Amino acid sequence: LKRGQMMTTASNNKMITQQILIQLGKWDSEHCCALSEEREITPIEHIRQTETWDCGLACVQMILQWLRQNDVEDPQHSNNSANDGEVNSWSKAANQTRSEKAWMIDFVATTSIWTIDLVFLLEHLLSGGSTTNSSGSKNIDTVQEIREEIGTLGCQQHCLHQRNSSAFPPPLSPSSSYLFCSTKFGVDESYNNLGYYKDKFSSDELRVKHLFDIAQKQNLPLLQKSHLSFEVLVDIVGRKGVVAIVLLDNRVLMNNNAIRTNSTTSYTGHYVVLCG
């Protein structure tokens, strides 16, 4: 890049970073600077996906576990955990993880997960099942309501588990926030021809468009950008108390030789957690 282009890129990156920090509540408007420049290595504990399609849910579980660790610790809970013994404690944690995953599968009600599905899942979790969101708009705040909304469009549901919707995961700190960033609010119709998506694309398209309409009507925290540089992403997640769920092309995680020898390999989305 030439010097002028470098300066323009740096200026754009700074502006986008500011927009994101404002949305996340980490910007001091009075002094026009980030509330904190403190950096940290974020202690995210890995949770494995259990199916070929639930990487996004596993990422949300990792985020929830991290948020709970950041909440004020309950000494009584800590003492009980210590007295239970390491094996019993691990067993309880594993059971909670499985129960939580089952609840999430029940909530999204599909095995073809798009990012907007995760947005509604996070909104429900961070609002604690409240009937209103942070903007004061009414939430579609129960599993049944979302199913009814989607069901009016005739979308097929792929619910694998029947669970009581009241089996809600433990509440999170009200100070937690999120922001959905994307190059497009809606459906990329080119996915219709991709192997991973084409079988369910018609029903997915209806559901995803409908959920985006609802998200915009409810003023959920959405930010559309034609390009979000890796430098901005690294800067954001390197800050204390910030992590990201990122949608990658799964081919970048595969062996390069496998890609070169398989010309039929096409884009397949894969969610990962990116942290400092």
Side-chain angles (χ1 to χ4, degrees):
L1 290 176
K2 295 180 180 179
R3 183 176 180 183
Q5 291 176 310
M6 292 177 64
M7 291 177 65
T8 300
T9 300
S11 177
N12 287 340
N13 286 349
K14 185 176 180 180
M15 189 163 50
I16 294 172
T17 299
Q18 178 180 333
Q19 282 184 290
I20 294 173
L21 292 177
I22 289 173
Q23 292 272 12
L24 292 175
K26 294 183 176 295
W27 184 261
D28 185 340
S29 300
E30 183 178 351
H31 299 95
C32 293
C33 63
L35 288 176
S36 172
E37 291 293 343
E38 186 176 354
R39 307 286 170 159
E40 72 171 3
I41 297 177
T42 311
I44 298 287
E45 186 176 335
H46 185 231
I47 293 178
R48 294 177 63 90
Q49 63 184 90
T50 55
E51 308 290 344
T52 58
W53 52 267
D54 65 344
C55 52
L57 300 184
C59 288
V60 171
Q61 282 194 286
M62 286 188 269
I63 300 299
L64 293 180
Q65 186 167 264
W66 167 66
L67 288 173
R68 291 184 189 119
Q69 289 171 349
N70 284 345
D71 286 344
V72 178
E73 291 189 3
D74 182 350
Q76 183 177 354
H77 174 75
S78 299
N79 290 336
N80 288 341
S81 296
N83 293 333
D84 285 338
E86 184 177 345
V87 174
N88 196 24
S89 223
W90 180 88
S91 178
K92 284 184 176 180
N95 286 335
Q96 180 180 347
T97 299
R98 284 193 294 269
S99 297
E100 189 171 70
K101 173 66 72 64
W103 181 89
M104 288 183 180
I105 291 172
D106 193 38
F107 184 92
V108 297
T110 180
T111 60
S112 181
I113 294 176
W114 291 57
T115 309
I116 192 65
D117 294 308
L118 301 182
V119 168
F120 273 86
L121 177 59
L122 279 171
E123 175 65 32
H124 190 73
L125 290 166
L126 295 178
S127 67
S130 171
T131 56
T132 57
N133 56 37
S134 55
S135 68
S137 303
K138 184 181 184 300
N139 277 332
I140 295 181
D141 62 321
T142 68
V143 176
Q144 187 58 37
E145 285 180 34
I146 285 183
R147 284 179 174 171
E148 288 172 358
E149 286 286 337
I150 296 173
T152 60
L153 298 172
C155 297
Q156 180 182 7
Q157 295 180 358
H158 303 275
C159 183
L160 303 183
H161 297 267
Q162 294 299 324
R163 290 291 185 273
N164 186 341
S165 62
S166 65
F168 191 78
L172 297 168
S173 167
S175 64
S176 303
S177 61
Y178 72 93
L179 173 66
F180 170 52
C181 297
S182 180
T183 58
K184 183 181 180 69
F185 288 167
V187 176
D188 186 339
E189 294 182 359
S190 66
Y191 284 20
N192 187 32
N193 298 317
L194 299 181
Y196 183 81
Y197 300 93
K198 64 182 181 181
D199 290 342
K200 301 175 184 175
F201 188 81
S202 295
S203 59
D204 283 352
E205 184 177 25
L206 289 172
R207 186 185 79 256
V208 170
K209 285 183 176 179
H210 187 53
L211 290 179
F212 267 108
D213 287 344
I214 296 170
Q216 290 173 321
K217 287 177 183 177
Q218 291 188 351
N219 295 318
L220 298 188
L222 313 176
L223 180 64
Q224 184 172 358
K225 286 293 174 187
S226 59
H227 177 70
L228 184 64
S229 72
F230 186 67
E231 288 78 8
V232 169
L233 192 55
V234 168
D235 181 28
I236 293 295
V237 300
R239 296 171 185 271
K240 183 176 181 180
V242 182
V243 298
I245 297 176
V246 180
L247 180 61
L248 299 177
D249 183 344
N250 194 46
R251 293 176 298 178
V252 305
L253 303 177
M254 295 170 61
N255 183 287
N256 287 332
N257 291 329
I259 295 174
R260 283 194 292 268
T261 57
N262 185 3
S263 59
T264 62
T265 302
S266 61
Y267 169 81
T268 301
H270 182 59
Y271 292 103
V272 299
V273 173
L274 187 63
C275 58

